[in-house]
Amino acid sequence: MAPLTVLGIESSCDETAASLVRGEVPQEGAPKAEILSSVVYDQMDLHALYGGVVPEIAARAHAEKIDRAVEEALRKAGLTLNEVDALAVTAGPGLIGGLIAGVLAAQGMALGAGKPLVAVNHLEGHALTARLTDGAAYPYLSLLVSGGHCLLGIVDGPGAFTRLGASLDDAPGEAFDKTAKMLGLGHPGGPAVERAAQSGDPARFPMPRPLIGRPGCDFSFSGLKTAARMARDSLAGAPSEQDKADLCAAFQAAAAEHLARQSVKAMKLFAQRRPAAAPALAISGGVAANGVVRAHLLEACAAQGFAFHAAPLSLCGDNGAMIAWVGLERLAAGFPPSLAARPRARWPLDEQAAPLVGAGRKGAKA
Ligand code: KG4
Ligand code: ZN
């Protein structure tokens, strides 16, 4: 099959993104891909005042900026819409206003230009990033850690994901954000916690080890967040800079250990269930940008004999390239285009798995 060029559009939470990706998926061997352009407009300044994403503000900002993001992505790639083979757009899960803005814009462009449109699950975008960047071979284990989601499972192909674990309460990024807020470190909290933790002692404040001794590969982050708050409240007076650094370091180390411990269990399951596969773990999502999280998972992979694919920092957070790539893979695999797809605020990646209490509770994206 000849290489395809796909325009990807993402607007499920607070990034308006567009990207052009060219690539091919041969019958044998690794996929080949090139990111021709990737434009991401974040909305941090719009939401900073409120300490979190305000859905109505996000939806309006997407509607205002999608056309500009697409124009810029096409210009940077040196292409016109007519030269693109297909469009792909995030149709869920996420904040419904942003999804509607993205899907309507993409439908208009696809209809106008007479191009096929693929409706993409945002979580699949994160889960297939290792194919786009590293040419990872199916099947592999995927750990998706972000502000809205925490999902661990086996990726066998586009549309073929088996969940092994998910968060029973907060998503990891949400716990980072709440810890940062509680210490007055600002939003988004993940990078702020990581920065503060650099000069902290992770051993000063003891942290629980969530779900230790329990079977399965699920996650829980609300206990860590609460432990951090209780440690802060145990201090005499307002926390000093050193107190904050030590608290951040303790929380971050415990979160990273928890992610690694549950991932090791999933690696063992993967080895049992896919004995013929070359073992590999891919991590993606905003929290995958965290250096301590990456280091813990790298170490766990080395100990278990797994290859490790960490999404590049530019593609950990939300972006259009991962959406374009899923569109490309789906077209290459013969899935029909879906011009009439409807936005879906909730859309589990593994539709066969039983719903988890709390999973996707906030309806935000991954
Ligand atoms: O995937 P993403 O861009 O979108 C959401 O699903 O929200 O991830 C954003 C999340 C936020 O919670 C943010 O605090 C977290 O990822 N994050 C980090 C880091 N960078 C972003 N968490 C920990 N360490 C980081 N360096
Ligand atoms: Zn995401």
Side-chain angles (χ1 to χ4, degrees):
M1 194 190 75
L4 292 175
T5 304
V6 179
L7 165 64
I9 298 173
E10 155 64 36
S11 60
S12 65
C13 191
D14 59 344
E15 276 96 10
T16 313
S19 167
L20 271 303
V21 172
R22 180 172 294 151
E24 58 187 315
V25 186
Q27 296 287 351
E28 296 287 321
K32 294 191 196 96
E34 189 188 350
I35 299 174
L36 305 177
S37 63
S38 179
V39 173
V40 180
Y41 296 149
D42 76 50
Q43 307 176 350
M44 274 175 208
D45 49 339
L46 296 179
H47 303 292
L49 189 62
Y50 306 96
V53 178
V54 183
E56 289 76 13
I57 294 177
R60 181 176 300 214
H62 287 305
E64 282 169 4
K65 288 213 181 129
I66 284 176
D67 287 358
R68 224 192 312 151
V70 169
E71 273 170 28
E72 192 177 331
L74 285 167
R75 183 162 41 77
K76 286 189 167 158
L79 293 172
T80 63
L81 196 53
N82 278 331
E83 292 168 300
V84 166
D85 295 302
L87 287 80
V89 64
T90 302
L95 300 172
I96 194 67
L99 293 171
I100 291 172
V103 169
L104 287 179
Q107 285 172 338
M109 288 180 221
L111 266 177
K115 305 285 179 184
L117 174 67
V118 183
V120 171
N121 181 310
H122 179 88
L123 306 179
E124 187 161 60
H126 283 299
L128 299 197
T129 296
R131 302 265 300 159
L132 163 68
T133 58
D134 294 10
Y138 293 126
Y140 59 88
L141 196 59
S142 161
L143 173 65
L144 196 175
V145 277
S146 73
H149 289 273
C150 184
L151 185 60
L152 180 58
I154 301 174
V155 188
D156 284 300
F161 180 86
T162 308
R163 190 184 80 199
L164 298 179
S167 179
L168 302 174
D169 41 57
D170 288 350
E174 196 180 347
F176 269 92
D177 291 340
K178 288 177 180 169
T179 301
K181 194 169 182 180
M182 178 263 286
L183 294 171
L185 298 176
H187 187 86
V193 168
E194 183 169 18
R195 227 175 296 118
Q198 277 168 1
S199 49
D201 170 11
R204 179 173 154 208
F205 295 106
M207 286 281 145
R209 301 173 80 197
L211 307 180
I212 195 90
R214 291 252 299 262
C217 309
D218 288 331
F219 299 91
S220 168
F221 291 93
S222 66
L224 294 180
K225 180 194 67 188
T226 305
R229 183 173 328 107
M230 285 168 65
R232 181 206 61 183
D233 293 347
S234 73
L235 297 167
S240 67
E241 290 308 305
Q242 192 58 51
D243 293 333
K244 290 183 188 178
D246 294 343
L247 264 169
C248 286
F251 166 81
Q252 178 175 260
E257 260 168 42
H258 179 45
L259 286 168
R261 202 177 321 114
Q262 302 305 76
S263 298
V264 165
K265 287 197 207 168
M267 288 182 212
K268 291 179 176 159
L269 274 179
F270 180 92
Q272 281 169 16
R273 295 194 189 175
R274 303 286 186 277
L281 169 72
I283 63 164
S284 58
V287 180
N290 185 284
V292 174
V293 168
R294 288 166 96 95
H296 272 74
L297 288 163
L298 174 63
E299 201 181 304
C301 281
Q304 300 299 319
F306 271 58
F308 181 52
H309 302 290
L313 295 186
S314 59
L315 298 182
C316 283
D318 291 341
N319 63 86
M322 67 183 192
I323 304 304
W325 177 255
V326 173
L328 195 153
E329 279 232 38
R330 286 187 161 254
L331 289 173
F335 285 83
S338 35
L339 182 63
R342 283 171 175 274
R344 291 176 67 177
R346 285 169 188 256
W347 185 3
L349 190 50
D350 180 350
E351 303 221 42
Q352 310 304 318
L356 273 176
V357 181
R361 190 165 43 90
K362 294 184 68 185
K365 48 95 200 225

